Amino acid sequence: MRVLDYDNGESHPVMTVSTTSGTTDVNGTIVFPGNRRPSPDSQGSQENYHHGCNTAAPTSTTSAVIPDYLNKYTAIMTAEQRMTYKAKFNAEYEEYRKLHASLDKVSKKFAQLEDKLRESEKGSPEYLKTQKEILKEYQVNKNDSYVEKKKRWQYLHSKLAHIKSLVLDYDSQQILHL
């Protein structure tokens, strides 16, 4: 999954606890999948609408259920419908930003611990201490609250991307008819 870097238009992978907490190999060493850094967040309601949500929805390999918003938010036919969709986008974008900030805080903590682990000599007291910190952080963030926040964030991300895509499609059609 990728998120748009609002400052320069580049996309970056989203860091999540499940990928940055690492896995343990046969020797008990925590293995990280690679450097992942979360993207910055943008400011301003209008700016958020245009740049705050990548139109590519995240993929899911386990879900065959059709999200409710796909039936609720269909192709826009009128300017009034466009305004309604945009208002819904703006209303839910604030919740999305708060969830993103919360998840981002956890991601940054794991990135910091990952860097600390890489700087330590394998097997040293500092290395072992950092391993324990990582496992402790993982246990703390494995709770239901974190999982629910992440699910809600993923849902909003997809929903907002869908709404944004519909609005942009409508806008491009209106330009063609001028």
Side-chain angles (χ1 to χ4, degrees), residues 152-166:
R152 179 68 178 157
W153 178 86
Q154 289 171 327
Y155 172 81
L156 286 173
H157 181 81
S158 297
K159 180 179 181 179
L160 295 175
H162 176 69
I163 293 171
K164 180 178 179 180
S165 176
L166 293 172

Side-chain angles (χ1 to χ4, degrees), residues 60 111 116 131 139 149 156 166 169-170:
S60 172
K116 188 176 175 183
Q131 271 188 325
Q139 291 301 322
K149 282 181 184 179
L156 286 173
L166 293 172
D169 288 349
Y170 176 81

Side-chain angles (χ1 to χ4, degrees), residues 129-146:
K129 180 182 173 191
T130 304
Q131 271 188 325
K132 286 180 182 178
E133 279 185 75
I134 290 170
L135 292 174
K136 180 182 170 192
E137 261 324 292
Y138 177 75
Q139 291 301 322
V140 167
N141 290 295
K142 197 170 92 171
N143 67 40
D144 291 337
S145 173
Y146 178 84

Side-chain angles (χ1 to χ4, degrees), residues 11-76:
S11 63
H12 301 281
V14 174
M15 185 191 317
T16 63
V17 171
S18 60
T19 58
T20 61
S21 61
T23 57
T24 306
D25 67 12
V26 292
N27 299 321
T29 303
I30 296 176
V31 180
F32 293 94
N35 288 334
R36 291 187 174 94
R37 299 288 184 242
S39 65
D41 218 337
S42 63
Q43 301 293 320
S45 160
Q46 187 68 14
E47 186 70 11
N48 292 340
Y49 179 74
H50 290 291
H51 301 291
C53 192
N54 187 352
T55 58
T59 59
S60 172
T61 57
T62 61
S63 177
V65 177
I66 297 174
D68 62 336
Y69 58 81
L70 291 179
N71 291 325
K72 184 174 182 178
Y73 297 97
T74 59
I76 299 172

